[in-house]
Every structure is written in C-alpha cells, then in structure tokens.
Amino acid sequence: MSETLSATMAPPRRPTLHFDALYREARSDVYAYVASVVGDRATAEDVVAATFERAYRKRRTFDAARGTPRQWLFGIARNAALDELRKRSRRATPVADAGTHLAATAPDDDASDERTLQIRAAIAGLPPRDRELIALKFFAGLSTAEIAGALGITEVNARQRVHRALRVLREVCA
Amino acid sequence: MSLLSKTHPIDDDLPELTPEQLAELDDLDAILAGDPASDDALASLVRDVRAAAPEMRLEATERLTGRVAAGFGRGRASRRMRLRGAMFSPLGATACVLLVVGGVGGAFLAASETSSPTSTDAFTAMSTPASDPNASSDSAASATSSASSAGDVTAFERGTADGAAASGGDSDITLQSSPSSPGGGLSKTSENVERLAPRALSSTALKGADTDRAAKARSVERTVDLAVRVKTGQLEEATGKVASITRDANGYVASSDLSLGTQGRGTATFQLRVDSSKLDRAIDRLSDLGTVTAQNESSRDITSAVDSAEGRLEDATAERKALLRSLAKAQTAGEIASLRARIAENRRLRASLDTQLRQVQRRADLTTIALTLRSPVNDDPTTDDGTWSISDALSDAGHVLSAIAGALLVGGAVVLPFALLGGLGWLAYAWRRRRARERALDA
C-alpha cells in the first residue's frame, strides 16, 4: 500500500541527458549538417567540437519538455555554425560558398562515385536555407517538429520550407 | 518562433501544403525512419542524398572522442564561462543582491544611527600623555589602569596625581564612566561617580607639606562630558534649568543646540563654561535633571604653561625696571629717545604677555562642560532602570527589522530600474544576435 502510494506521489523525474550516447549517435549527423552550412572541412570539424563542448557545458540545462536531445543539439550546432559564418563575414575574407565546398569534398570520401558527386553538386547548388533544411532532414534525420524547434520557427512553416527544399532537390537531381 | 518568421517574410509567402504534398512529406519521414515507401523515386533520392553526406575525418573524430571522454577538461571551464556561471547562478545572484542590500542597509543604518551609551561594567580610568602647545618643555605623567572598584580607582588617582606633581609638567587625566555597572550604574545621585579629578589632586595633601604646596600651586584645566536622559516631554524644561545652573556657577552658556522631534523626543547639546571652584555643585545639579547615561571627565595640568607665561611677564617687568633706571641716568637726547622707544616696545610686550597669562589662567579658572540632554520617545522612568531587558531587546529587534525593510525598499527602488533596463538590453541583444545569425546564413 505504502509502496503504491509513494510511487504515485513521487514527483516526475526529469529525464537526464546521456551525453556520451548522444555524442556517439549524433556525431556524424552533426558534422554532415555543419559541413553543409559552413562548407570548410577543418572549420566544420572545429564547429562540431565547439558544438559538443557547448552541449557538454550546458547539458544540465537540457529540458526534455522543450524538445528532443537531437533537436537541442542541432540548435546548438546551428548557432555555432552561424556564429562561425558571422566571424568570417566580420573578417571580410572571401567566403567560399558552402555548397561549392560540399561538392569539393568528394575526393576525400570513399563514396566518390558519379551519382554521389552529382547529388553533392545538386545540394551545393541549393540556396543556403534550402541546403540547411536538406541537411537537417536527410543527414540529421530530424522530424519536422525537431527542425522547427532547432530553427525556432513554427512547425507549419517548417513543413512548408522542407517541402519546398525537397521539391528543389528533386528538380536538380532529376 | 514567430519572431523568426516575421524576420523572413519569404516564409509567409509559402502556400499552404496540399494533402498530396503533406503525404509526400509523410513518405519522406517514413523512408528516413526505414519504413517501406510507396514512392520509389523518393526512396532512391533519400538513399543517394544520405550516401552523399560529408563524413568527418577519422583523426578529427578520434580527437573529439578523446575530448568528450575527458569531459572537455573538467573543472577547466573557460574564464568567461566561469564568470557567466558566477553571475547567473542563484548563489551569485543572491550574493549580488545581498551585497547591494548590505551596502544600502549599512548606509541607511549609519545614517539613522544615534549615539548610545556604552555598557561597560566597570569604571575605566586612563591617563593619556599630552603636551601643552603653550609649553614646549611639558612632560606628561602617564598611568593606565582599569579598575572595578572605588578602591582601585582611588589607588590609580593617587598614582597619577603623584606622577603629575613629580613631573612638574602638564599631564592629562581622563576619567570615563558609563552606566550599567553592577552597583547600579550611574544615577542622578552620582553615588558611584564622584568628582575624581579633584580628588586626585586633593589627595596629594596627604603627602605632606611640600606636596601640599605643590598641589596648591598647580593649575589644572578640566573638561567634563555629561550625557543625561530626561523624561519624555521634559526636555524644554530641563533646557531652561541648564541656563540657571550655569549662571549660579558663575559661568555662561558658550553654545547650545536644541532639536525637538515628535512625541516629546529630542536632543539638546550645550557647551558650558563654569567656575572650576563650583564645578562639583554644577555637575550635581545638572545630573538632577534626569538620569546620567555617560560621564567623562578629563583634567590637564597646565602649571608649566602658567609658570612660563608668568616667567616671561616677570622678565619683561624686570626689563622695564632696568630700562627706567637707564633712562634716569641717560644724558644725551639720542640715548633718551632710544630708551623710550625700548620702554614703549616693552610695554606692548608686557601687555601681550599679560593677556596670555590671563588666558591660560582662565583655562584653569573655568571648566568646560559638554552637556547632552536626550529625551527618548519610549522613555518610561517608572520601569526603565537603565538595564537591557527583554522589552528593550524586542524593541531593538523591531527597529532593526524596520531598518532592514527600509533598506530593502530603498535597495529595490534602486535596483529595479536597472534590472528592467538590463532585461530589456538583454532581450535587444538576443534579438540582434538572432538576426545577425540569420543574416550570416543568407550571406
């Protein structure tokens, strides 16, 4: 009786963030997304490292009620990537288009067949916002709700934008 | 969320999705989740795009994995992060608030602080050496003693007086007393507080004729600080009596200041100059005005200053006699004129020395009494015997709490506008940063 009561009365426990598991699970996806945004490989690696460091420092602030761990992590990654782009623009150095670099990374990868190169070139040709959405959807595998949370937009808006990016991608990859 | 949508009007132009388009998105989600799809072309696209995903280099992955395993240098958070943590942690915020409130409260309390009598349990008698500015050869007899009984005080007095007499120079004798002594403290009857300094000097009479002569010849400047608590509402009446007591003591009121508050509360301060020979009687009568809460008497032996002034005057007088004798013998007009000029100069010098002598003698003839009369608001002579009771403690606690509440109110009034400004500034900063990030993506 008392055990039942205590189980009933116990306050809901706040889900803890398993950082190591999240790192192992999302590391590659975060890199793929960040590389799509910033373009430069070395910079992308630095941004990914900064992303996980920020996430580690702020892991106790994670609130499951506000979204999934992946949504939270990709929000951090997005901010880190955009901060990097801002830094670049402030330094006024010539910024290579991220898509261009995305296409140029092919020789370093194992999967360098013609179709992959074609796809990369197609993604590289997308507008930055569409390219970001493709990365979040296809590389990171985020749901529409998670994308909305990561970008800070409404879910309806996220769905519209994802569909538009998908349509564009289909056209360029046809 | 709506903020970003508003900052990108292009999104508002997107058409509502049709059911077919929504179904296409559902297919996409299903394919990404690994479920069978009805749209083979979309499935193929997904597969190809995922295959084209950039991959992190192995060495970079290993490096990052190592850093994750090490907790990114646990405990070595950057200075900026630590500062942020300290600033925004609840503990840091509380410390900041306490600091502000403490500072404001301290200032508030300091401003509202009123002097209160000390509550030492015993007489403290001390002698502080000091030199008379009018006599460079002054020496000071020093003796320090703390006594709890009249006998001890007497012993100290004797020693001090002896020292002063033996030194032949100026010396300071300060005798302090405060209420709440075990014997009942200082009361208006002044049973425990006697005129210690006169006794100290008169006690030298016991030492014999030589000492007696020395004591009689000595000049002593005395000052008395006296604080008296009068009954509520009787401050003005007591103030009027002070003037008559001073006149009866052949003295005058050098300065006075009366500050009356509400509910019969107030404070009056006086600087009185009374004949030293009538000091004891004057002190007794002033003590009768209420309850003595503090009394401090100090005596300074200024015999050497008096002797010095007298000696210089005697020298000048002797010089005048010599000059007059020389004048009587002078024969030439030049000699006579010169001597007359010197006699005139000597006259001016003697007048100045005579004034100095009168001034220094007056310091001994008149005693300064710094009198403070206080009339507290909750004074109840029928129950307040000068001791600290539970009701006093509760009253003090109430005062402290009201002071703290006032300090918090003032602190809040000061902090609130800054907090609001800070919050608005933070919101503006966050909004601008968000806009800048979005612009960076579009660049």
Side-chain angles (χ1 to χ4, degrees):
Chain A
M1 176 67 180
S2 60
E3 289 179 1
T4 306
L5 183 62
S6 61
T8 307
M9 298 295 289
R13 295 179 61 183
R14 187 174 178 174
T16 54
L17 181 70
H18 299 288
F19 183 81
D20 290 344
L22 180 63
Y23 167 73
R24 285 193 301 272
E25 175 195 334
R27 177 185 60 211
S28 300
D29 297 343
V30 169
Y31 175 80
Y33 164 71
V34 169
S36 302
V37 174
V38 302
D40 179 68
R41 176 188 291 273
T43 304
E45 289 170 353
D46 289 343
V47 170
V48 170
T51 297
F52 280 105
E53 183 167 2
R54 283 189 200 181
Y56 181 81
R57 304 276 184 219
K58 298 165 68 176
R59 65 190 185 280
R60 288 186 179 84
T61 66
F62 167 72
D63 184 0
R66 298 174 62 183
T68 64
R70 284 177 71 86
Q71 171 189 327
W72 174 75
L73 180 65
F74 277 89
I76 295 173
R78 183 172 194 265
N79 286 339
L82 296 186
D83 286 344
E84 180 59 32
L85 291 181
R86 286 175 62 199
K87 263 191 253 177
R88 279 189 191 175
S89 63
R90 277 201 293 264
R91 286 197 295 263
T93 53
V95 181
D97 184 72
T100 307
H101 175 77
L102 187 66
T105 57
D108 294 336
D109 295 338
D110 296 334
S112 57
D113 58 277
E114 195 170 337
R115 176 62 178 165
T116 301
L117 293 175
Q118 182 193 359
I119 294 291
R120 283 181 170 166
I123 295 173
L126 293 174
R129 291 190 177 278
D130 288 343
R131 192 165 61 237
E132 181 188 25
L133 283 167
I134 293 300
L136 288 173
K137 192 68 183 172
F138 288 78
F139 297 160
L142 296 187
S143 69
T144 308
E146 288 174 327
I147 290 174
L151 298 186
I153 58 178
T154 64
E155 196 170 336
V156 172
N157 193 247
R159 195 174 294 122
Q160 292 169 328
R161 293 171 64 179
V162 168
H163 185 268
R164 184 185 63 185
L166 176 63
R167 191 185 67 232
V168 174
L169 182 66
R170 276 188 144 174
E171 288 171 0
V172 298
C173 292
Chain B
M1 290 184 183
S2 58
L3 183 66
L4 188 67
S5 300
K6 286 175 184 171
T7 58
H8 297 276
I10 190 173
D11 296 335
D12 296 334
D13 298 336
L14 291 173
E16 287 292 322
L17 296 180
T18 63
E20 292 76 19
Q21 290 170 331
L22 289 172
E24 188 180 10
L25 287 178
D26 290 340
D27 276 348
L28 177 60
D29 286 336
I31 293 166
L32 287 168
D35 295 333
S38 56
D39 188 342
D40 291 338
L42 184 58
S44 174
L45 179 66
V46 168
R47 189 170 53 249
D48 292 343
V49 170
R50 289 182 68 90
E55 290 184 8
M56 202 170 178
R57 286 178 298 187
L58 185 61
E59 57 268 29
T61 304
E62 288 176 347
R63 197 166 54 242
L64 180 57
T65 302
R67 292 186 63 197
V68 170
F72 292 99
R74 284 187 182 87
R76 290 193 296 119
S78 67
R79 186 190 175 109
R80 189 177 166 195
M81 294 287 286
R82 284 201 304 270
L83 188 60
R84 277 187 178 179
M87 286 180 67
F88 293 108
S89 70
L91 193 63
T94 306
C96 289
V97 169
L98 285 178
L99 200 63
V100 170
V101 170
V104 174
F108 183 83
L109 288 174
S112 62
E113 183 76 19
T114 56
S115 59
S116 58
T118 56
S119 58
T120 52
D121 291 338
F123 290 138
T124 302
M126 50 188 167
S127 171
T128 306
S131 61
D132 190 326
N134 296 326
S136 59
S137 60
D138 291 346
S139 63
S142 71
T144 303
S145 171
S146 179
S148 58
S149 67
D152 291 340
V153 173
T154 305
F156 156 71
E157 292 159 2
R158 191 174 300 121
T160 305
D162 293 348
S167 67
D170 291 358
S171 67
D172 287 350
I173 303 171
T174 303
L175 299 166
Q176 295 176 323
S177 60
S178 56
S180 306
S181 65
L186 281 175
S187 67
K188 59 186 178 184
T189 58
S190 302
E191 291 175 352
N192 292 329
V193 180
E194 311 227 0
R195 306 284 78 77
L196 299 176
R199 183 197 290 179
L201 293 170
S202 61
S203 64
T204 57
L206 301 173
K207 294 295 182 182
D210 293 340
T211 309
D212 186 47
R213 278 195 300 274
K216 284 178 181 174
R218 306 212 71 78
S219 297
V220 177
E221 179 186 21
R222 299 167 65 186
T223 58
V224 177
D225 292 328
L226 183 65
V228 178
R229 185 175 64 231
V230 300
K231 294 175 183 175
T232 303
Q234 295 186 359
L235 183 61
E236 287 185 276
E237 183 186 344
T239 301
K241 289 181 180 177
V242 169
S244 63
I245 293 171
T246 307
R247 280 194 300 272
D248 292 346
N250 294 339
Y252 60 93
V253 179
S255 67
S256 65
D257 181 30
L258 175 63
S259 174
L260 286 175
T262 57
Q263 301 175 0
R265 181 170 50 185
T267 303
T269 56
F270 301 88
Q271 284 282 337
L272 310 176
R273 299 277 284 160
V274 300
D275 191 333
S276 297
S277 62
K278 298 186 176 183
L279 175 65
D280 291 356
R281 176 64 183 151
I283 292 292
D284 284 344
R285 292 183 64 190
L286 290 172
S287 300
D288 287 341
L289 295 175
T291 304
V292 176
T293 56
Q295 184 169 338
N296 181 8
E297 296 185 21
S298 62
S299 301
R300 169 179 289 185
D301 190 338
I302 55 172
T303 306
S304 62
V306 174
D307 290 346
S308 173
E310 286 177 344
R312 279 180 287 169
L313 183 59
E314 286 173 3
D315 290 345
T317 303
E319 184 185 5
R320 178 176 178 273
K321 288 178 182 175
L323 288 170
L324 289 174
R325 280 196 297 271
S326 298
L327 181 63
K329 296 176 184 175
Q331 294 179 349
T332 64
E335 197 177 358
I336 291 171
S338 171
L339 285 169
R340 282 182 174 168
R342 291 181 61 188
I343 289 170
E345 185 183 350
N346 176 268
R347 188 182 305 117
R348 286 190 294 273
L349 175 63
R350 283 189 301 110
S352 171
L353 292 173
D354 186 59
T355 302
Q356 288 181 21
L357 179 60
R358 288 174 187 279
Q359 285 176 343
V360 73
Q361 284 175 337
R362 191 173 177 80
R363 286 165 57 193
D365 293 342
L366 293 178
T367 296
T368 301
I369 301 175
L371 174 67
T372 302
L373 300 179
R374 280 200 181 84
S375 176
V377 66
N378 56 351
D379 181 51
D380 185 1
T382 60
T383 58
D384 190 355
D385 57 354
T387 58
W388 201 59
S389 63
I390 293 295
S391 62
D392 291 334
L394 290 173
S395 176
D396 290 346
H399 288 312
V400 169
L401 287 175
S402 61
I404 290 173
L408 285 173
L409 195 62
V410 173
V414 171
V415 169
L416 190 62
F418 290 105
L420 285 174
L421 282 176
L424 288 174
W426 185 86
L427 284 175
Y429 168 74
W431 183 78
R432 283 196 60 180
R433 187 175 60 174
R434 189 182 182 90
R435 292 260 313 202
R437 279 173 172 162
E438 296 301 330
R439 279 200 300 269
L441 185 63
D442 292 332

